[in-house]
Amino acid sequence: LAAGACDQLLRRELPLPTAEEARAFYANASGVTDVELNGNVVEVRVRQPLDQLRRGGSLWARVGPYIYLFTPGTRDLFDEYPGVAAVRVITISPGGTEIARATLLRETMNDILWRRSLSLLSHALHEGTRRPSRLEDLVNWGESHTEYVYNPTFVPEKH
């Protein structure tokens, strides 16, 4: 009986959100065009404005995914749905070309790292235009804590 109960616990699937439930965590984020589930990974697609890329160049192309990934919405999504293994943010140009993608694995973050992430995000959002170093801080953090890929058209190999 005890072995059967353990076996049942191991086979129990952890809850996953529907695409609509996952989308609700990003409802206040501008530019989000789609949220869907790919297995146990939530994928968030974001249209990044062309003028932002023209003005900010590769720095803005690189920071794009992290602005949506290191949010209270992502943290809360992980908290509410233990079956979500990762969140992937994919930024796209107005023409539909992929600019960048970053994947945050659930086990990467703890409470202390989340607090640091949210602080870096806040500084980037409030001071990033005046102080690009704040955007660079968020990029460096993101590159240290995610799996990421940049489109070389927007981000030359040497960045």
Side-chain angles (χ1 to χ4, degrees), residues 24-137:
F25 289 90
Y26 300 93
N28 295 326
S30 65
V32 173
T33 61
D34 192 30
V35 178
E36 59 188 33
L37 257 68
N38 187 352
N40 59 358
V41 177
V42 172
E43 288 189 350
V44 180
R45 292 189 182 279
V46 178
R47 188 168 311 281
Q48 195 164 356
L50 200 54
D51 66 317
Q52 197 179 74
L53 297 168
R54 283 189 185 126
R55 270 193 334 246
S58 66
L59 177 57
W60 276 93
R62 290 167 56 215
V63 78
Y66 309 119
I67 287 175
Y68 296 87
L69 202 52
F70 293 117
T71 62
T74 300
R75 181 198 56 201
D76 295 346
L77 177 66
F78 279 136
D79 286 347
E80 226 171 286
Y81 292 97
V84 174
V87 174
R88 177 178 301 123
V89 173
I90 303 166
T91 53
I92 54 174
S93 71
T97 303
E98 184 173 313
I99 299 166
R101 65 175 50 211
T103 305
L104 178 64
L105 302 176
R106 165 185 288 286
E107 64 270 6
T108 303
M109 305 299 276
N110 59 34
D111 286 341
I112 293 168
L113 295 178
W114 268 117
R115 274 183 263 161
R116 178 72 177 138
S117 298
L118 295 172
S119 174
L120 288 167
L121 175 65
S122 177
H123 287 296
L125 292 175
H126 293 102
E127 303 169 33
T129 304
R130 289 187 323 276
R131 294 180 59 194
S133 63
R134 295 298 195 173
L135 300 176
E136 193 66 49
D137 292 343

Side-chain angles (χ1 to χ4, degrees), residues 1-12:
L1 183 64
C6 286
D7 197 36
Q8 231 177 1
L9 282 174
L10 291 174
R11 278 188 276 157
R12 195 178 103 210

